[in-house]
Structures are given as C-alpha cells and as structure tokens.
Amino acid sequence: GASPPREAASHHKTIKSPPVSNGTPTSHHHGASPADLEAQASSNLAMVDAVRALVYKVGIPSPAVAAAAVNPHSDKFIGVRLKQSGFGSVIKKNHSEINLGIYETAEEAARAYDMAALFCQGDRAKVNFSDSLHLYDQNFSMDLKLPSQPYPTRDKDFYTQLFEQSTPPSKAGSVLTDLADRLPYSSVMSTSLDIWEDFSRKNEAIETWSDFAKQLAWLVRHQILPEVLTPGWDSDTWESNCNACETGHEAGRLLREAEEGGVDWQKVGRLWDSEAGS
C-alpha cells in the first residue's frame, strides 16, 4: 500500500486533512440552511476519510500506468497541486473545492483525486489512471478507515538538525502539519476542513520562529482536546513560552515538550482504533 497521507488530515486535516480542514467546502452556498450545510459537510468529511483510506489500501499505479497517464503537453495530473510539504489533492463538487489531503507523491495525490471523482461523478468521471475505475469498484466503501497511526519516536538528532542549526523557519512548517495529521478528528475541537486547510497554508508561509511557536501553541492548546493531554502537564506555562519564543532552539524545545510530555499518545492511539472500528 501507499504511505499514509500527511495532511489532514489525518484522516483529517490537510484536511487533518488540516492539518488541514475538514468539512465545509471553500465556497459560499446561497440559500442553504445551516442543517443542509452541516449535512453536506458531514458527507464531504466521510468521503475524504474513505478516499484517503482507499489510497492507502490500493497504493500508487504501476510505472506503465503512471506513464500512460501523463499528458504529453503537461507533466501535471488532474486535481494535483504542488505544496511545500508535498502534493495536494483537490476536487470540485457543487462549485466548491474539497481538499482530499496532502500526499508524499504526485501519484498518490492523483490517485486520491481519481477515487473522489469516481465517488462524485460515477464512471463518467475523467481520471488520471486507467486502473482507477477497477480499483474503485473492487475496494471502495464508506466504511474504510486509515489504520491506527501512533506517533513515531523521533530520531535523537531530529530536533538538533531541524531547529538548532541554520535551518530557515519555513522548512519546519511541514512538521506542524504532520503533527496535526497524526491526530484523529475525535481528539480535536474543530472538524472544519477550512480551518485545517488554513492551518496548513499558514505553516507553508512561516517566516520566523515566533510564527512557528504560535502555530504550535494554537494546535496544542486550542485544538487538541484537554482530555488528550497528559494529566499534570503545565500547558499554561508552556503556552506562555510559545508566545515569547524567538529562536529555533526554543522552538525545538517547545515542540519536544509538547510531543514527549504534553500529548498522551496512548490515548491518541486508542481514539484512532476507536474511529477505525466505528
């Protein structure tokens, strides 16, 4: 299978998706009631989750299929946009754009577009890969879920290499998007795709370590549910330090404190498993 999508995420954001936004498409709906909009957002969320899980399950196309998909006048796939942190997949539905996540390869992002297009438009959809229709018919289900994604142990040199050397802050923004994508929807306050997509965009535009720390504080203190944080962790002091952060060394220390002492990853893992089983 393919590597799990980064955004998101998770399944959300990027959507984690933003981590990405999740739910309300990026357009104005004239005359729609709040209940209609909520139902549409819920439907879109379910589709994004299923699409991302299906991409993880079926993987990328063979080199021959991928080569046949490329337009001779263009090297771009349908529905794929290059992002600083990977390849974004986007589909238009009812005059709105729905973000399908950020993926490590253009082929994975193109596959995500294909699956969403087949879901929305049926076999009349224009897709990137010749095998997508067959794979969709054989594998698609709205019950598909990504596997549990416990947070990986950082390499011992990770923080030193990224934050304490001459790395520009802009290179660290993708770490925040990745962190958000490791959180299931049931562990965060907002399930709006727009909010997480905005978070991801801001991460790509980070210019200072102060910007990085403020984004980190927003995610950990204002999106992750308090019950998912480690009991007794002094999050108030931690947030104050984020607001005062000015250097890469401080930013790395604050990220490490949040990852190793703030977030309870055992609880996160149980929530992933619960979502997968629901």
Side-chain angles (χ1 to χ4, degrees):
S3 55
R6 294 200 215 176
E7 203 152 68
S10 174
H11 359 316
H12 55 148
K13 315 219 190 21
T14 291
I15 211 156
K16 267 211 305 226
S17 18
V20 217
S21 6
N22 344 10
T24 311
T26 54
S27 75
H28 299 287
H29 301 265
H30 300 290
S33 70
D36 289 340
L37 289 176
E38 184 174 347
Q40 181 174 331
S42 177
S43 172
N44 290 338
L45 264 181
M47 179 196 73
V48 171
D49 278 358
V51 163
R52 293 177 68 138
L54 183 53
V55 172
Y56 180 84
K57 180 178 180 180
V58 304
I60 61 175
S62 67
V65 171
V70 178
N71 184 315
H73 304 294
S74 170
D75 59 355
K76 295 180 180 178
F77 293 115
I78 307 169
V80 176
R81 296 175 181 173
L82 180 62
K83 303 273 190 176
Q84 184 179 16
S85 54
F87 295 88
S89 184
V90 176
I91 190 169
K92 289 188 177 180
K93 179 185 176 187
N94 300 331
H95 309 292
S96 305
E97 280 196 352
I98 298 175
N99 297 290
L100 303 170
I102 291 181
Y103 297 82
E104 293 191 1
T105 69
E107 288 79 11
E108 286 174 309
R111 179 72 89 194
Y113 170 85
D114 285 4
M115 297 304 158
L118 289 164
F119 176 83
C120 294
Q121 302 162 19
D123 57 12
R124 62 187 174 87
K126 184 178 180 181
V127 295
N128 290 290
F129 305 125
S130 59
D131 62 348
S132 284
L133 177 58
H134 172 74
L135 290 170
Y136 177 88
D137 287 341
Q138 293 292 314
N139 296 282
F140 186 81
S141 164
M142 287 298 282
D143 295 328
L144 280 173
K145 297 289 184 182
L146 281 168
S148 176
Q149 299 180 59
Y151 203 80
T153 303
R154 298 284 194 194
D155 182 272
K156 59 184 176 63
D157 297 325
F158 171 81
Y159 299 96
T160 302
Q161 292 173 347
L162 185 60
F163 295 99
E164 296 182 13
Q165 297 178 359
S166 56
T167 305
S170 58
K171 296 292 185 183
S174 61
V175 174
L176 296 174
T177 300
D178 176 71
L179 176 58
D181 282 344
R182 298 187 180 280
L183 300 165
Y185 285 123
S186 53
S187 71
V188 295
M189 305 260 188
S190 175
T191 57
S192 163
L193 282 174
D194 290 338
I195 286 177
W196 290 109
E197 181 65 17
D198 184 60
F199 177 72
S200 182
R201 276 196 299 269
K202 287 179 178 177
N203 292 340
E204 293 181 4
I206 283 174
E207 295 183 353
T208 68
W209 289 116
S210 175
D211 293 340
F212 177 93
K214 286 182 171 65
Q215 284 285 92
L216 175 63
W218 178 85
L219 173 63
V220 174
R221 281 304 312 277
H222 303 286
Q223 282 302 311
I224 298 179
L225 296 173
E227 54 265 33
V228 183
L229 297 177
T230 302
W233 182 51
D234 188 356
S235 56
D236 289 334
T237 298
W238 178 86
E239 184 176 18
S240 296
N241 291 336
C242 283
N243 292 331
C245 175
E246 294 184 353
T247 69
H249 176 81
E250 292 172 296
R253 179 177 56 80
L254 290 163
L255 175 66
R256 189 168 194 166
E257 285 180 10
E259 291 185 343
E260 296 184 355
V263 179
D264 186 329
W265 292 106
Q266 287 188 332
K267 291 180 182 177
V268 170
R270 286 196 293 269
L271 289 173
W272 274 115
D273 292 338
S274 175
E275 286 195 4
S278 61

